[in-house]
Amino acid sequence: MSDAPETDSEVPASQQRGAVDYDELEALLGDRAIRREDHVNSGGFVVRPDEVQEVLGTLKEEAGFDHLSLLTAQEYEDRYESIYHLRKYHDASQEVNVIVPTGKDDPWNETAVPVYKTAEWHEREAYDLVGIEYRGHPDLRRILLPETWQGHPLARDYDQDRPQIVSLKEHVNPVASSKKDAESDTMFLNIGPHHPATHGVLHLKTVLDGEQVADVEPDIGYLHRCEEQMCQTKNYRYQIMPYPDRWDYTANMPNEWAYARAAEDLNDIEVPEYAQILRTMAVELARIKGHMLALGTFALDVYGDFTATFMYAIRDREIVQNILEDLTGQRMMFNYFRLGGVVWDLPEPREEWFAKVREFLDALPQHVEEYHDLLTDNEIFQKRTVDTGVISAETAKAYGCTGPVARGSGVDYDLRRDDPYGYYDELDWDVVTEPYGDNFSRVMVRMREVEESAKIIGQCIDLLEDWPEDERNIQSNVPRTLKPEPDTEIYRAVEAAKGELGVYIRSDGTSQPARFKIRSACFNNLHSLESMAEGEYVPDLVAALGSLDIVLGSVDR
């Protein structure tokens, strides 16, 4: 496994790796920290609603917490609460939570947008679904639900049976003439939601200045399915696990691990070493499957290459699908993970399955060379992707980007290495980065990650082949009913194909979560499109969107 990019002596104290000193942070915050509050994954500080920016600014600038990973909003019987989950891009194992309680009558707190750009979308979602007002927010309005939706679905007093009958904006004349200046050089252009270039039901509200993009606003929510609310009505042990496969459904095995990691740590469940290897191998197969689809569809987006690159990529994806079908019994919604392990051991005869996997791994280097011949060495492809859709490392961090989007801008951040889980820290592999931040770099990261995933899978196969038969434990002994201690809270994340995929859970002492929050890599990465596309031409906007490799099931949840 690759080491961190720098030694501790080469970086400021706030950027050094190691355990968080919460006493030191409490002294840094002074009387702005009302009290300490411990979650399973990290410590935290309760602060006043009107001191959010000051506290977050201090933690970012003086303590080095430059990554707002997630914002969780929720309602209790006596209050509302916002939790800002902070990490360090330099060391993802260092975490701290900023908890902001607010009254029931007028739930509000200061916006975090001046400190973390990514808070813009997170706070809009919290307002939309829970009903907290974030004062000073530059554009506080709904983001997943229609503007005319009545009520906040995750509020305790929300009436699910109330009909939603308002179809137009309130107090707006629908037949009024346009207010645009007749002499304006700008033009408003709708891209999507029913267009193949948007990769699903995504609507891009685009303003053009001549032929260049002056502004683009992704309009999301068309595929919002209340995934978080559904998980809050299901039990930990059996009923939640089938849902994660529906989030990022193109590379969905890591989704299962995101939930498993949170629920297992919440309930003190150990996973056998053999099962950890099975999990690691299966997830890396799914990563290759996802990157192959991203590569093929991107070639289709950029220069219409359906017959060659797209079909070649689907060829390799289908091989992986067949391998995973043999392993899990499913081709898409695998449902392979169980709390405490996995549901099946390797298919029999094992030797035939190992041979099938090795045949794929042996052929993969030549296939990758074919993709380079078809794509990265192609002059048309280079002209469409080099120096287009550029986003710098600092801007990527501001938007909370992770995965190939961040690593394509030189951000050396990978939870498999930086916050180890599974069997990754026992294997030899490297984190892939590219320094240029353009569309071409993001493609290169994915192609090189396919090769790293193949290295990981090969090592897992070697281990599994030699594993003693009487020690092949695929699950630990897990109680039939799980009831974590009341008011226990945890946030855990994994490195999915698109980036950091996390799950926050708050327990209330029952067999079902009181709050279940999903941190989607696609949600954060899509937010950065506005920065990538500004000043580009429409075809470059399409290329930038394709390079993000978003899945609307993950964006909207």
Side-chain angles (χ1 to χ4, degrees), residues 234-402:
K234 302 295 183 287
N235 68 55
Y236 295 102
R237 184 66 175 92
Y238 302 106
Q239 295 177 329
I240 294 177
M241 188 58 79
Y243 284 94
D245 282 321
R246 277 81 178 164
W247 304 343
D248 171 9
Y249 38 74
T250 66
N252 39 8
M253 195 78 79
N255 307 354
E256 299 179 19
W257 208 338
Y259 167 63
R261 191 180 186 200
E264 286 163 356
D265 286 359
L266 183 67
N267 291 279
D268 294 322
I269 297 172
E270 295 292 330
V271 180
E273 187 177 6
Y274 181 75
Q276 295 282 29
I277 299 173
L278 289 173
R279 285 180 168 189
T280 303
M281 175 196 63
V283 163
E284 292 308 310
L285 284 165
R287 191 181 313 277
I288 292 177
K289 180 171 76 87
H291 283 351
M292 287 301 172
L293 185 63
L295 187 68
T297 54
F298 188 66
L300 194 61
D301 287 337
V302 170
Y303 68 110
D305 186 359
F306 180 84
T307 55
T309 309
F310 182 81
M311 295 308 297
Y312 277 40
I314 293 299
R315 170 202 61 185
D316 287 328
R317 179 180 166 88
E318 281 296 302
I319 296 173
V320 178
Q321 291 276 111
N322 293 336
I323 291 171
L324 288 174
E325 183 180 12
D326 291 342
L327 177 65
T328 70
Q330 302 290 334
R331 289 187 63 80
M332 189 171 184
M333 305 303 174
F334 300 110
N335 196 20
Y336 182 60
F337 278 57
R338 293 294 183 271
L339 298 188
V342 296
V343 66
W344 318 114
D345 197 356
L346 299 176
E348 296 289 350
R350 293 165 66 96
E351 293 74 16
E352 289 186 10
W353 192 82
F354 286 140
K356 181 184 289 189
V357 178
R358 289 198 181 282
E359 182 181 1
F360 169 70
L361 296 179
D362 291 343
L364 194 59
Q366 180 183 347
H367 291 180
V368 171
E369 284 302 314
E370 290 174 348
Y371 294 124
H372 283 298
D373 291 340
L374 289 166
L375 283 182
T376 59
D377 294 342
N378 184 298
E379 184 178 356
I380 299 174
F381 185 84
Q382 291 174 358
K383 286 184 176 296
R384 290 294 315 280
T385 57
V386 173
D387 292 332
T388 64
V390 177
I391 184 171
S392 68
E394 289 307 311
T395 304
K397 290 179 180 180
Y399 280 96
C401 295
T402 54

Side-chain angles (χ1 to χ4, degrees), residues 28-318:
L28 179 65
L29 296 178
D31 59 7
R32 293 170 295 182
I34 300 174
R35 65 177 184 276
R36 290 263 289 270
E37 186 173 298
D38 290 328
H39 296 181
V40 175
N41 61 297
S42 73
F45 301 95
V46 178
V47 306
R48 299 173 183 84
D50 60 349
E51 294 184 334
V52 170
Q53 291 179 19
E54 191 176 351
V55 168
L56 294 179
T58 298
L59 290 173
K60 180 182 179 182
E61 300 301 330
E62 299 185 38
F65 290 94
D66 54 351
H67 179 28
L68 172 56
S69 181
L70 177 69
L71 165 61
T72 299
Q74 54 193 322
E75 182 184 2
Y76 291 80
E77 289 186 5
D78 61 340
R79 69 188 187 280
Y80 286 82
E81 185 178 271
S82 298
I83 306 175
Y84 294 86
H85 304 265
L86 307 181
R87 288 181 183 264
K88 295 182 179 181
Y89 273 106
H90 177 73
D91 181 6
S93 66
Q94 296 198 35
E95 301 176 74
V96 66
N97 298 316
V98 175
I99 302 103
V100 189
T102 183
K104 294 275 285 189
D105 295 336
D106 182 22
W108 72 277
N109 63 251
E110 256 185 349
T111 180
V113 174
V115 184
Y116 299 101
K117 176 66 176 177
T118 185
E120 188 175 316
W121 273 27
H122 285 285
E123 289 177 348
R124 284 181 61 189
E125 181 183 334
Y127 163 75
D128 190 3
L129 300 183
V130 181
I132 299 175
E133 179 188 355
Y134 295 89
R135 294 183 182 172
H137 190 287
D139 188 22
L140 190 63
R141 55 191 170 89
R142 294 190 183 274
I143 187 169
L144 293 176
L145 301 178
E147 284 287 331
T148 54
W149 196 267
Q150 305 297 300
H152 303 279
L154 294 183
R156 296 170 68 93
D157 61 353
Y158 181 72
D159 182 4
Q160 296 189 30
D161 298 324
R162 178 182 179 181
Q164 298 287 338
I165 58 174
V166 181
S167 58
L168 299 171
K169 289 185 178 180
E170 296 177 275
H171 312 305
V172 173
N173 181 0
V175 297
S177 60
S178 172
K179 297 179 181 178
K180 281 189 174 293
D181 188 342
E183 298 180 359
S184 173
D185 291 330
T186 62
M187 179 178 71
F188 181 79
L189 178 67
N190 286 305
I191 303 176
H194 302 295
H195 192 285
T198 61
H199 291 251
V201 281
L202 171 65
H203 176 205
L204 299 179
K205 299 178 179 178
T206 311
V207 177
L208 301 181
D209 184 358
E211 297 184 25
Q212 291 178 293
V213 176
D215 183 54
V216 60
E217 178 193 343
D219 179 18
I220 64 176
Y222 291 87
L223 203 57
H224 177 59
R225 299 154 294 163
C226 310
E227 288 280 346
E228 295 172 0
Q229 195 170 28
M230 287 191 289
C231 290
Q232 289 172 195
T233 65
K234 302 295 183 287
N235 68 55
Y236 295 102
R237 184 66 175 92
Y238 302 106
Q239 295 177 329
I240 294 177
M241 188 58 79
Y243 284 94
D245 282 321
R246 277 81 178 164
W247 304 343
D248 171 9
Y249 38 74
T250 66
N252 39 8
M253 195 78 79
N255 307 354
E256 299 179 19
W257 208 338
Y259 167 63
R261 191 180 186 200
E264 286 163 356
D265 286 359
L266 183 67
N267 291 279
D268 294 322
I269 297 172
E270 295 292 330
V271 180
E273 187 177 6
Y274 181 75
Q276 295 282 29
I277 299 173
L278 289 173
R279 285 180 168 189
T280 303
M281 175 196 63
V283 163
E284 292 308 310
L285 284 165
R287 191 181 313 277
I288 292 177
K289 180 171 76 87
H291 283 351
M292 287 301 172
L293 185 63
L295 187 68
T297 54
F298 188 66
L300 194 61
D301 287 337
V302 170
Y303 68 110
D305 186 359
F306 180 84
T307 55
T309 309
F310 182 81
M311 295 308 297
Y312 277 40
I314 293 299
R315 170 202 61 185
D316 287 328
R317 179 180 166 88
E318 281 296 302

